[in-house]
Amino acid sequence: MKGHIFMLLEEFVTEVASEEVLYDAFEACTFDTNTAFVRTENYPDEHLIELVDIVINKIGITLAQAHFSFGKWLYPRLSGLLPKHFTDYAHPAYVLQQLDDLHHIELKKLYPDALPPKFQYKTLSLFEAQLIYTSSRRMFDLVEGVLAGMAAYYGVQITVTKQLNWQENPNSAKYLITYANGVEL
């Protein structure tokens, strides 16, 4: 996992819980937390999992709640880091249809050794679409939170129905997205 994600998590925990919770969590970690995370460095996924587990136990929420909340919080911050041609739209559907390119082209420019998830977006009608997410990290609730963050960011109400184990693949989920405001792509 890239250090950038750890840095965003630090900011999130400080904002929604407290700096004290973050520092207490660092002290409880079994890995070295004495040096700051470096945005471009790789860190074991297990370190992120351990840190998140400690934080959620301290603040009393589930892992699903933490992933969803972080995802919702995350989108507005990440959108400011992306090229405008990916985010400068009035509707999240335009961004979602480019999501795989964003991860596999733009993200790889910044972080060549990143292991991004795979996204497949398909328009079903003016008001419905499906998004297939595939990743061995299985951050299904985080993706759902990002969708909620996108809805808030673009001011477009959406309803999401999540189907885990898509096509009998435990690393994949299908999200049926219903837009209150239809869009023609």
Side-chain angles (χ1 to χ4, degrees):
M1 187 73 64
K2 284 294 179 187
H4 190 200
I5 298 300
F6 283 87
M7 294 167 69
L8 288 165
L9 180 64
E10 288 175 348
E11 185 180 341
F12 173 72
V13 171
T14 299
E15 188 175 308
V16 301
S18 71
E19 203 169 80
E20 181 180 345
V21 168
L22 178 66
Y23 291 135
D24 287 350
F26 280 151
E27 286 180 20
C29 286
T30 59
F31 60 92
D32 180 19
T33 58
N34 291 322
T35 56
F37 293 106
V38 178
R39 180 183 306 266
T40 57
E41 291 295 316
N42 283 320
Y43 298 91
D45 288 357
E46 295 78 22
H47 290 182
L48 184 70
I49 292 165
E50 180 182 345
L51 180 57
V52 170
D53 283 346
I54 292 168
V55 169
I56 64 175
N57 286 326
K58 286 188 173 299
I59 63 176
I61 62 172
T62 67
L63 184 60
Q65 291 169 320
H67 280 187
F68 182 89
S69 297
F70 183 52
K72 187 174 181 180
W73 175 90
L74 192 60
Y75 184 76
R77 280 137 188 99
L78 290 180
S79 67
L81 302 173
L82 302 174
K84 288 288 184 204
H85 68 274
F86 279 110
T87 60
D88 202 14
Y89 297 101
H91 200 284
Y94 294 103
V95 179
L96 289 169
Q97 75 176 356
Q98 303 176 79
L99 204 53
D100 199 61
D101 285 345
L102 174 65
H103 280 80
H104 289 271
I105 296 171
E106 296 300 320
L107 185 68
K108 287 289 210 170
K109 286 179 189 174
L110 294 172
Y111 308 115
D113 56 346
L115 300 171
K118 182 174 174 59
F119 293 96
Q120 297 168 292
Y121 182 82
K122 181 179 178 185
T123 300
L124 304 176
S125 73
L126 289 175
F127 294 93
E128 286 189 324
Q130 74 177 19
L131 179 69
I132 309 296
Y133 160 85
T134 306
S135 173
S136 60
R137 291 186 173 119
R138 300 180 185 175
M139 294 192 169
F140 307 118
D141 296 310
L142 183 120
V143 171
E144 193 171 5
V146 168
L147 292 170
M150 291 178 85
Y153 182 82
Y154 292 103
V156 174
Q157 183 181 356
I158 66 171
T159 304
V160 177
T161 304
K162 177 176 57 183
Q163 181 182 349
L164 299 176
N165 203 34
W166 175 242
Q167 296 185 330
E168 298 183 26
N169 180 349
N171 295 327
S172 190
K174 174 180 143 182
Y175 302 84
L176 179 62
I177 303 166
T178 306
Y179 300 108
N181 305 357
V183 63
E184 189 169 339
L185 300 177

